[in-house]
């Protein structure tokens, strides 16, 4: 077939125009049928069956399998089968048909994702139930060590999470390759109802840490999910001052991400020391905020009682950190607030660390007594 004829078949398939598609293929005869059944299109290597399954055109899917003879296990360049496509887009009827026609329920696409994992990226319990009824294994893990329950906890649908726990009660007992639990995932994404279910039904250890020492509470606050953080405190008795492998506390992580409401929550509500230093490098929240260039966060920290003149292990102030990050506006703000330039333990001034023109100009514009 010529290229234009093939493009027309793709278009008709994507639009779900079964009668026109059938007519074009029939007119082409057996040669067209053979070409269509094995043709892969574009960079992805999709077939007509992939297109039809992805878009939920059930009658087209049936025609391509029953009449054209396409293999339900045909895969594209990412090893995605039509079942992956239908599951990922929540097309239950297509999922059911493909499974009845012999599609392997736990087939793996690139990165070892199963159709059930793909289905769990959507909040459609019926598709998930369809796959489970055909023997899908929710405990299988992808290349990152995530199983379907991890993925469901990222999306946060309470019905999906409860159903997976019903059919596989131990599915929560899993960690990714970086030792992250489904509780980490739910907390990080602010899925409050998911976190509540996990705390009620699963036996997670308070302050369970991933390979970097990060706890679910840390994930919650550094992403600004205060309600989730409160829930972890109330129901799980977690520590608001736990440290990761670098000795960094939640107050420092919140400064990095610029979550000012979380700063108020930690310092004012939980009485966390705003000047607490990360143990390994003796850096404060103010240092972190300056290095990231969070000018508003710098002001919030000072309002909460941060020491403008505190130094880290290398004798650097927040001004040094702002210049390391080449954040001119943050450096200007610190100078205007009264922080003077000075040398660290190696004799280096903040001004010497400023490389970008706008950062250098900050020091040229301030009055002599300010620098």
């Amino acid at each position: 077939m010529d290229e234009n004829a093939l493009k027309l078949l793709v278009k008709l398939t994507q639009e779900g125009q079964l009668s026109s598609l059938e007519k074009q293929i029939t007119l082409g005869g057996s040669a067209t049928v053979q070409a269509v059944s094995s043709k892969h299109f574009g960079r992805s290597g999709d077939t007509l069956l992939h297109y039809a399954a992805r878009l939920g055109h059930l009658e087209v899917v049936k025609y391509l399998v029953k009449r054209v003879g396409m293999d339900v296990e045909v895969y594209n360049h990412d090893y995605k089968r039509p079942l992956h496509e239908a599951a990922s887009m929540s097309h239950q009827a297509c999922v059911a048909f493909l499974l009845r026609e012999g599609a392997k329920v736990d087939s793996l696409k690139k990165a070892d994702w199963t159709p059930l994992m793909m289905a769990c990226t959507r909040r459609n319990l019926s598709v998930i139930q369809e796959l489970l009824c055909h023997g899908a294994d929710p405990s299988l893990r992808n290349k990152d060590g995530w199983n379907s329950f991890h993925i469901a906890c990222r999306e946060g649908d309470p019905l999906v999470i409860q159903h997976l726990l019903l059919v596989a009660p131990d599915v929560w007992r899993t960690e990714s390759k970086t030792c992250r639990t489904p509780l980490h995932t739910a907390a990080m994404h602010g899925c409050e109802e998911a976190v509540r279910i996990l705390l009620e039904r699963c036996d997670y250890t308070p302050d369970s840490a991933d390979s970097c020492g990060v706890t679910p509470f840390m994930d919650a606050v550094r992403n600004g999910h205060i309600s989730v953080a409160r829930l972890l405190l109330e129901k799980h008795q977690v520590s608001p001052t736990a440290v990761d492998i670098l000795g960094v506390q939640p107050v420092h992580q919140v400064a990095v991400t610029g979550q000012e409401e979380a700063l108020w929550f930690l310092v004012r509500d939980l009485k966390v020391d705003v000047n607490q230093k990360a143990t390994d490098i003796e850096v404060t929240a103010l240092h972190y905020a300056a290095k990231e260039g969070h000018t508003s966060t710098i002001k919030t920290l000072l309002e909460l009682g941060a020491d403008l003149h505190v130094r880290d292990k290398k004798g650097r102030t927040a001004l040094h950190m702002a210049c390391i990050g080449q954040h001119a506006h943050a450096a200007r703000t610190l100078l205007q607030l009264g922080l003077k330039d000075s040398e660290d333990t190696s004799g280096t001034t903040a001004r010497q660390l400023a490389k970008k023109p706008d950062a250098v100009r900050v020091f040229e514009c301030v009055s002599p007594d300010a620098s």
Side-chain angles (χ1 to χ4, degrees):
M1 296 183 68
D2 64 40
E3 197 65 28
N4 288 334
L6 288 170
K7 286 181 179 180
L8 177 59
L9 294 181
V10 170
K11 180 176 182 293
L12 294 173
T13 300
Q14 291 175 328
E15 293 177 353
Q17 297 188 37
L18 175 59
S19 58
S20 297
L21 176 67
E22 186 174 4
K23 180 180 179 180
Q24 290 296 320
I25 293 176
T26 302
L27 287 173
S30 59
T32 299
V33 172
Q34 184 176 358
V36 166
S37 64
S38 59
K39 176 65 177 176
H40 294 260
F41 299 87
R43 292 183 178 179
S44 64
D46 287 334
T47 66
L48 293 184
L49 188 54
H50 283 89
Y51 292 130
R54 181 184 305 144
L55 293 165
H57 298 315
L58 177 60
E59 295 307 314
V60 176
V61 170
K62 288 181 177 179
Y63 168 71
L64 292 171
V65 173
K66 294 286 195 180
R67 301 283 297 280
V68 177
M70 293 193 69
D71 182 2
V72 293
E73 281 295 290
V74 65
Y75 53 84
N76 66 11
H77 296 333
D78 286 333
Y79 299 101
K80 289 174 75 173
R81 276 71 168 176
L83 184 60
H84 285 99
E85 299 286 4
S88 70
M89 299 305 291
S90 296
H91 299 308
Q92 183 185 359
C94 289
V95 167
F97 172 77
L98 290 167
L99 288 169
R100 288 197 303 271
E101 291 300 311
K104 295 178 181 178
V105 71
D106 283 330
S107 56
L108 301 180
K109 80 169 192 72
K110 189 175 181 179
D112 295 338
W113 280 63
T114 66
L116 180 59
M117 292 176 193
M118 302 294 287
C120 285
T121 65
R122 304 278 180 169
R123 298 186 171 209
N124 191 318
L125 180 58
S126 61
V127 173
I128 292 167
Q129 289 174 321
E130 188 76 47
L131 291 162
L132 290 169
C133 286
H134 282 81
D137 185 351
S139 69
L140 292 178
R141 305 203 303 170
N142 64 20
K143 74 173 184 63
D144 295 316
W146 282 36
N147 65 16
S148 297
F149 193 65
H150 268 103
I151 296 162
C153 288
R154 183 187 67 186
E155 300 306 314
D157 188 324
L159 293 178
V160 172
I161 292 168
Q162 289 171 332
H163 188 73
L164 287 171
L165 286 171
L166 178 66
V167 299
D170 289 330
V171 72
W172 64 273
R173 298 179 185 275
T174 184
E175 293 181 349
S176 71
K177 288 187 176 179
T178 56
C179 301
R180 292 179 62 77
T181 66
L183 183 59
H184 281 89
T185 303
M188 176 180 176
H189 290 275
C191 301
E192 185 174 349
E193 284 307 307
V195 170
R196 191 180 302 277
I197 292 168
L198 294 176
L199 294 180
E200 289 174 353
R201 299 186 57 178
C202 309
D203 191 23
Y204 286 110
T205 303
D207 297 316
S208 56
D210 66 13
S211 58
C212 294
V214 174
T215 67
F217 180 82
M218 293 176 185
D219 273 327
V221 291
R222 69 182 180 181
N223 286 286
H225 304 309
I226 308 302
S227 62
V228 172
R230 289 187 186 278
L231 186 60
L232 288 164
L233 286 165
E234 293 167 6
K235 302 293 185 181
H236 213 38
Q237 290 75 54
V238 299
S239 171
T241 56
V243 297
D244 66 14
I245 59 173
L246 296 177
V248 175
Q249 293 187 14
V251 70
H252 304 121
Q253 296 169 335
V254 165
V256 171
T257 56
Q259 295 291 344
E260 293 170 40
E261 184 183 354
L263 276 174
W264 284 96
F265 169 63
L266 289 169
V267 178
R268 285 291 173 87
D269 294 0
L270 303 184
K271 309 303 180 186
V272 172
D273 181 4
V274 72
N275 290 308
Q276 179 65 43
K277 293 184 175 182
T279 53
D280 282 14
I281 49 181
E282 299 183 5
V283 175
T284 67
L286 185 61
H287 285 91
Y288 282 113
K291 187 175 181 181
E292 297 300 321
H294 298 318
T295 303
S296 179
T297 307
I298 290 170
K299 294 177 180 178
T300 296
L301 284 164
L302 292 176
E303 190 175 351
L304 288 168
D307 183 352
L308 185 64
H309 304 284
V310 69
R311 295 174 181 269
D312 67 7
K313 193 173 184 178
K314 296 182 179 180
R316 298 175 298 194
T317 66
L319 185 58
H320 286 87
M321 304 306 287
C323 291
I324 288 172
Q326 306 303 313
H327 298 298
H329 193 61
R332 182 180 294 107
T333 297
L334 289 164
L335 287 167
Q336 291 171 343
L337 289 169
L339 182 58
K340 297 181 178 181
D341 195 5
S342 59
E343 295 181 348
D344 62 15
T345 54
S346 68
T348 305
T349 65
R351 181 170 185 159
Q352 290 171 325
L353 293 170
K355 305 298 181 184
K356 290 187 176 180
D358 57 344
V360 173
R361 282 195 296 272
V362 168
F363 292 92
E364 296 173 350
C365 295
V366 294
S367 57
D369 62 341
S371 60

